[in-house]
Amino acid sequence: MGPRADVRERPITLGDLRHIFRRRRRVMVSCVGGCVALAVLVCVFCTRRYQAFGEIQVQKDSSDALGLDSMMGGAEDASDALDANITLQTQADLLESDTLALQVIEALELETTRDYQPRYDALGSIFRLLSPSGPADPLNASLENSPRRRTRALKIFDANLNVKVVSGTRLIEVRFLSSDPVLAAKVVNQLMDGLVEYNFQTRFTATNQASEWLTGQLSDLKKQAEALQARVIALQRQSGVVSLGVQDAQGRDQAYSVIVDRLQQATATLSQATSNRILKGAVYKIVQSGNAELISGLSANGIVSGSPTLSTSLGLIQSLRMQEAALQGQIAQDTSKFGPSYPRLMDSRANLSGMESAIEDEVHRVAERSKNDYEIARREEDESRTEFATEKHQADSLNDKAIEYAIVRQEADDSRGLYEDLLKRLKEAGVLEGLRSSNITVVDPGRIPSTPKQPNIPVYLAIAAGVGLFLGVCGAFISDSIDDKIQTIEEIERDLELVPLGILPHLGEPNWYRRPGGPSLSRARSPSSGVNSLAIFAHPNSPYTEALRGLRTALLLAKSSAPPQLLLITSSVAGEGKSILSANLAAVLAQSGRRVLLVDADLRKPSLGDRLGMESRTGLSQYLTDERSPEDILEVGRLPKLHLLTSGPVPPYPADLLGSLRMMEALDRWRGYYDFIVLDSPPVLLVTDPVVLASLADATLLVARYGMTNRLSLARSHRTLMDQSTQDRVGIVLNGVSQGSPFHYEYYGHSGSLGYPEIHGGKHVDA
């Protein structure tokens, strides 16, 4: 009974999703509300964390790292954008280095603060059980010598530190989170001061080592100048030197001759060669240390300007050192973020090892080149000294005391001038390095924050709402997919290939709607009290009553030659509203002027007599059992064309009675007297009674309850009834559909009440 459904699959539309969300709105609201409530609890009970902010400026590096460039006539080289970016990134990596972090932790005693107190970590405890933990930290050892303490402290410090290079500028931002706002500001300031001190110490160490070696060379040069000056004084006393009467710009007497002139040139050459040898020796001494940091610092000095090959190698070392520092920072960052077993770290460590090997090879080559330059400078000094000795021997051969005096005086003046010039440059280098000790300038010191950075309540609530909405949507889909209750018309059409014959809205639960014996049951014995509770009297123009009339019309306009006279109403399981439908459908049929007999064929748990407030002395069971028992058919008040035959006492074998010959004879007799006979039978899946009656009925209405009836149960009930009848004689009636549900909208095209007025006492009242 009812048209065949087109069961072709169709894609899910936005309307389908909307219906799913409406059906599962409780799940979605619960998820969103739970996540938001959790976020509120987190915001209320979590520790307030404050973020201090500081900013530093990295100025251009001075190329006069040793303070010797002016002596050699060098000038500062302009750094390009790549050098600036490398410098900024290097300084940022230094701020995130473990060395500075340990200095700050020890200086401010951060291990005693709240953030560094041990906390129970369930996941970490499990991992420690599965993996070897290594040796314990020594007692009373420093943080540097305690690997476990050091690792834990650095992990917490790095998690709270944020260093960022401001794009397009020479500024670096330093941020630190702490539960104590004062401590957060102290950490930022201490970290920036530590970077300044680190840069100063690096430059100072390089300058100090070069200065120490130059000081030793100057000491020898001073002794030589003092010895020459003593000789000049002795020669001046021993011989009377004839002055030519010509004085130089310094007011000194001169004795001129070609030999003396050549000797003076040789002396000047020897002085320059000696100075060159000293400077080359300084470079060679620094290179012998093998310290790549000190060696790379020579690239910006004019001290190596005479050797282009050496300058190129030093520049290459400096570039490799910058790349090494960047790679070390990346390794430290990846180790802190992903752990020491992160696969990418193996490639990074291999690159670092290769880079260190390249630096060592380049240092070795620089050492060889500086040694060669030093040997060449020393040979040039020896050759100049030999040439000077030759010229001096020729001058000595003249046996001219005046020339000897002039030569010695010139040597003394040159030696003194060289010593004073080198000493002046050495002092200037120390003064300049002290004045330009660091290229780091603090722009904004760390200040105490006024408001906490965490928790960010709007962000937390927004994230919680988003996560809750996502979980709610997932929960809606999951709950809708695993729910086997009837929720949509398509489910009935797909499972049974049959369009429901009628959809009955939910009307509420008056007293007669409840099962007999329930807590709210009014077991009235007055016939009028139960009849008045029928929908056609209690709610004559309600959507439920209109749906009943629509079901009546569908039955009367059946495609067969005549409408079904004998109707069987059953359900899959108890509680789906079959008895209520039987009583109200019989009342609607009787209201149309037809003679209707309502038979309570549920001989196991009868309910119609109690619901309608009517009793009989015999009933159906006694009539079928005792041939002498008459039919005790009752007339329902207010509906004279509606008659009721109650079930009577519960018999021992109900199915046998319903399938007996006497039952068939009674049905045939009733057909001749009544227009419609409505049989209310037990559920299909519980007993065989409705199966027996289905073979006798003209049509069977299988009642299913929206949101309660299992789809598999409905399909089994339908298949069971189909075995005893044809498809055109079994129809589906869906009961208890909420008027605001998507199901109601799908069938009627609207949600909510129809808005028909109800008439009570001559007045219109909204249903």
Side-chain angles (χ1 to χ4, degrees):
M1 180 175 293
R4 293 291 300 274
D6 186 0
V7 295
R8 290 178 296 178
E9 295 291 337
R10 63 178 182 85
I12 297 178
T13 63
L14 293 177
D16 297 333
L17 297 179
R18 180 172 62 87
H19 295 333
I20 293 175
F21 295 153
R22 288 187 61 185
R23 288 197 301 269
R24 308 300 173 181
R25 56 182 177 272
R26 291 186 179 179
V27 176
M28 299 181 64
V29 171
S30 300
C31 290
V32 174
C35 290
V36 172
L38 181 61
V40 171
L41 292 177
V42 170
C43 294
V44 171
F45 294 104
C46 73
T47 303
R48 269 46 179 173
R49 302 186 64 80
Y50 298 83
Q51 185 179 71
F53 169 81
E55 193 171 54
I56 61 175
Q57 178 185 8
V58 182
Q59 301 172 347
K60 296 175 65 175
D61 286 324
S62 172
S63 61
D64 192 11
L66 294 175
L68 303 174
D69 57 338
S70 57
M71 180 182 69
M72 302 302 297
E76 293 186 354
D77 298 329
S79 60
D80 56 10
L82 179 59
D83 290 336
N85 291 333
I86 293 176
T87 301
L88 286 172
Q89 188 59 48
T90 301
Q91 299 299 330
D93 292 341
L94 288 175
L95 284 169
E96 295 178 319
S97 64
D98 293 346
T99 300
L100 292 183
L102 291 174
Q103 292 178 2
V104 175
I105 293 173
E106 292 181 342
L108 299 179
E109 298 180 351
L110 296 182
E111 282 191 295
T112 61
T113 61
R114 176 181 179 182
D115 294 341
Y116 290 78
Q117 296 304 312
R119 292 182 176 86
Y120 177 72
D121 184 5
L123 187 60
S125 301
I126 296 175
F127 287 157
R128 285 191 292 271
L129 291 175
L130 299 178
S131 61
S133 58
D137 293 337
L139 295 176
N140 301 323
S142 63
L143 183 61
E144 182 68 35
N145 297 325
S146 303
R148 291 190 180 182
R149 285 176 50 208
R150 182 180 67 246
T151 302
R152 181 178 175 275
L154 289 175
K155 182 179 180 180
I156 298 175
F157 188 88
D158 293 340
N160 295 319
L161 177 64
N162 182 19
V163 178
K164 177 184 177 183
V165 178
V166 182
S167 178
T169 67
R170 289 183 173 271
L171 300 176
I172 299 178
E173 296 179 351
V174 183
R175 303 176 187 271
F176 191 82
L177 275 172
S178 176
S179 57
D180 185 356
V182 177
L183 184 61
K186 288 183 179 180
V187 171
V188 171
N189 291 326
Q190 186 74 21
L191 196 62
M192 294 190 297
D193 293 342
L195 179 64
V196 174
E197 181 66 20
Y198 176 83
N199 281 275
F200 170 76
Q201 289 295 336
T202 301
R203 295 169 182 269
F204 178 78
T205 301
T207 303
N208 189 46
Q209 291 186 4
S211 298
E212 288 178 357
W213 192 84
L214 287 176
T215 300
Q217 296 295 318
L218 289 175
S219 178
D220 297 338
L221 189 60
K222 180 180 179 182
K223 293 178 181 180
Q224 180 182 354
E226 290 175 350
L228 290 175
Q229 188 65 28
R231 262 187 83 190
V232 170
I233 295 173
L235 288 174
Q236 188 176 9
R237 292 177 178 177
Q238 291 176 5
S239 61
V241 177
V242 179
S243 177
L244 299 179
V246 180
Q247 294 182 345
D248 56 12
Q250 288 75 26
R252 297 176 298 183
D253 295 334
Q254 291 186 348
Y256 176 77
S257 71
V258 176
I259 296 177
V260 173
D261 187 60
R262 290 202 305 267
L263 183 59
Q264 290 176 345
Q265 294 178 2
T267 302
T269 302
L270 177 60
S271 176
Q272 184 176 0
T274 301
S275 176
N276 187 40
R277 191 261 307 168
I278 291 173
L279 294 178
K280 299 298 184 182
V283 174
Y284 178 53
K285 188 68 176 178
I286 294 175
V287 172
Q288 276 186 323
S289 67
N291 191 327
E293 181 72 24
L294 300 179
I295 295 173
S296 62
L298 297 174
S299 62
N301 295 296
I303 191 172
V304 296
S305 60
S307 178
T309 304
L310 187 60
S311 299
T312 302
S313 297
L314 292 177
L316 179 58
I317 292 176
Q318 186 179 24
S319 177
L320 291 174
R321 286 287 297 168
M322 291 181 180
Q323 297 178 17
E324 181 187 24
L327 189 55
Q328 288 175 345
Q330 183 65 35
I331 291 175
Q333 183 177 0
D334 290 346
T335 303
S336 175
K337 183 180 295 183
F338 302 105
S341 301
Y342 185 54
R344 180 179 173 185
L345 289 175
M346 298 179 63
D347 297 336
S348 300
R349 293 192 182 101
N351 294 338
L352 180 62
S353 176
M355 194 171 296
E356 291 175 350
S357 176
I359 292 175
E360 291 177 0
D361 295 340
E362 198 62 28
V363 168
H364 179 72
R365 286 192 289 271
V366 169
E368 293 294 332
R369 294 188 184 114
S370 61
K371 179 180 180 181
N372 294 335
D373 291 345
Y374 176 70
E375 293 295 333
I376 292 173
R378 190 168 58 81
R379 286 196 297 270
E380 290 177 355
E381 182 185 18
D382 293 339
E383 292 174 357
S384 299
R385 195 177 299 280
T386 301
E387 182 180 358
F388 169 76
T390 301
E391 296 295 334
K392 185 175 179 295
H393 179 72
Q394 292 180 2
D396 289 341
S397 64
L398 296 177
N399 200 19
D400 188 346
K401 298 297 183 181
I403 295 177
E404 183 180 2
Y405 167 75
I407 293 172
V408 174
R409 186 176 64 183
Q410 183 66 39
E411 289 181 359
D413 292 342
D414 291 342
S415 179
R416 171 62 63 179
L418 177 61
Y419 169 76
E420 291 178 352
D421 186 53
L422 289 177
L423 181 62
K424 176 182 177 182
R425 297 301 179 186
L426 183 61
K427 291 180 178 180
E428 288 178 354
V431 172
L432 291 175
E433 191 62 28
L435 293 176
R436 295 181 289 179
S437 59
S438 177
N439 62 336
I440 306 298
T441 303
V442 177
V443 178
D444 287 324
R447 298 181 176 90
I448 300 175
S450 59
T451 57
K453 177 71 174 179
Q454 295 177 356
N456 192 331
I457 296 178
V459 173
Y460 280 25
L461 293 180
I463 293 176
V467 173
L469 183 60
F470 174 76
L471 295 178
V473 171
C474 295
F477 282 117
I478 293 174
S479 60
D480 197 73
S481 62
I482 64 177
D483 189 359
D484 59 355
K485 304 298 188 298
I486 296 176
Q487 301 291 344
T488 63
I489 297 177
E490 286 81 358
E491 294 172 350
I492 300 177
E493 295 175 349
R494 181 182 62 249
D495 297 340
L496 305 180
E497 300 184 10
L498 189 67
V499 176
L501 189 62
I503 303 293
L504 301 181
H506 182 69
L507 187 61
E509 295 189 359
N511 291 335
W512 61 270
Y513 198 94
R514 302 179 185 272
R515 293 185 58 82
S520 300
L521 177 64
S522 176
R523 302 182 62 86
R525 292 301 175 181
S526 174
S528 61
S529 61
V531 173
N532 289 335
S533 298
L534 291 172
I536 62 173
F537 299 121
H539 304 283
N541 293 310
S542 66
Y544 180 82
T545 306
E546 293 300 327
L548 283 175
R549 295 189 179 107
L551 178 59
R552 178 188 64 186
T553 303
L555 293 173
L556 295 177
L557 299 179
K559 294 182 179 180
S560 58
S561 59
Q565 184 180 10
L566 180 57
L567 291 176
L568 173 65
I569 300 179
T570 184
S571 63
S572 300
V573 293
E576 295 178 324
K578 62 175 182 58
S579 297
I580 305 303
L581 175 60
S582 299
N584 284 280
L585 180 59
V588 170
L589 290 172
Q591 192 181 34
S592 65
R594 274 89 172 175
R595 292 178 59 84
V596 180
L597 175 62
L598 176 61
V599 180
D600 191 351
D602 190 348
L603 303 183
R604 300 173 187 270
K605 290 184 178 181
S607 62
L608 287 179
D610 290 333
R611 294 183 188 277
L612 295 176
M614 303 179 69
E615 292 181 334
S616 67
R617 292 184 298 273
T618 57
L620 179 62
S621 61
Q622 191 170 356
Y623 171 76
L624 296 178
T625 304
D626 187 1
E627 295 182 357
R628 296 173 297 176
S629 177
E631 297 178 359
D632 191 7
I633 298 178
L634 305 176
E635 182 177 324
V636 179
R638 298 188 65 179
L639 289 172
K641 292 185 177 297
L642 177 61
H643 296 81
L644 172 66
L645 177 59
T646 61
S647 63
V650 177
Y653 304 106
D656 295 340
L657 291 179
L658 295 175
S660 65
L661 179 61
R662 186 172 177 79
M663 181 66 180
M664 297 180 186
E665 292 175 350
L667 291 176
D668 290 338
R669 187 171 61 258
W670 295 337
R671 285 177 183 271
Y673 186 74
Y674 295 99
D675 297 322
F676 289 98
I677 303 169
V678 179
L679 302 179
D680 178 27
S681 71
V684 177
L685 298 181
L686 301 182
V687 293
T688 61
D689 301 7
V691 178
V692 174
L693 294 175
S695 61
L696 305 176
D698 297 335
T700 302
L701 298 182
L702 180 59
V703 180
R705 190 171 182 84
Y706 173 77
M708 173 184 172
T709 302
N710 186 285
R711 297 199 302 268
L712 182 59
S713 299
L714 180 62
R716 288 177 178 174
S717 301
H718 183 264
R719 186 166 56 251
T720 301
L721 294 174
M722 288 291 295
D723 293 340
Q724 300 297 326
S725 61
T726 62
Q727 183 172 1
D728 291 338
R729 297 173 61 184
V730 179
I732 305 296
V733 177
L734 190 63
N735 185 31
V737 177
S738 174
Q739 298 179 28
S741 66
F743 201 131
H744 189 277
Y745 181 85
E746 292 173 5
Y747 192 79
Y748 290 102
H750 65 85
S751 298
S753 175
L754 291 173
Y756 292 155
E758 295 188 5
I759 302 175
H760 292 278
K763 295 182 180 180
H764 292 279
V765 181
D766 290 340

